[in-house]
Amino acid sequence: MPSRNPLEMFNSLLNPWFTLSSQAVLLGIEAQSVMAMRMMRLAAGGANGQAEAQRMVTEKVAAFAEAHAAAVAGVVAGSNGHHVAKKVLNVYGKRVRGNRRRLSR
């Protein structure tokens, strides 16, 4: 299975924060495509546009709550900062990928 991160082969050589930041950049690019698809749906208006607007707000609140819970759980468990940041990034990544799949249908 190919790696999502082209820099993954250099993980052993790079600072783990650099690897995490490259994953965040890739997530940001993916999020931009989701925003573009959402804007098209919102611009089309109608019931689908209204439903997307409502869904967008509720999903953002739920994603923040899930990411906050993951961060708190990591800190309470004594995880280092890198591990906590990776957990939070994974939460948002899961949401963005789900939205991309849903909106591209």
Side-chain angles (χ1 to χ4, degrees), residues 1-93:
M1 182 165 95
S3 168
R4 287 199 57 188
N5 185 348
L7 298 174
E8 192 168 340
M9 66 180 161
F10 299 113
N11 273 350
S12 62
L13 303 173
L14 298 174
N15 180 331
W17 283 104
F18 181 80
T19 303
L20 187 66
S21 65
S22 68
Q23 291 169 346
V25 168
L26 293 173
L27 176 62
I29 293 168
E30 194 171 16
Q32 286 179 341
S33 69
V34 169
M35 288 187 286
M37 288 186 279
R38 273 194 160 148
M39 291 305 296
M40 288 188 290
R41 191 164 285 192
L42 291 173
N48 285 341
Q50 180 66 28
E52 189 62 34
Q54 291 174 343
R55 180 181 204 143
M56 180 174 59
V57 172
T58 57
E59 281 182 347
K60 288 186 185 314
V61 171
F64 173 76
E66 186 180 347
H68 184 267
V72 168
V75 169
V76 168
S79 298
N80 64 16
H82 176 266
H83 187 259
V84 172
K86 186 165 180 58
K87 283 190 165 292
V88 169
L89 190 63
N90 287 341
V91 168
Y92 285 115

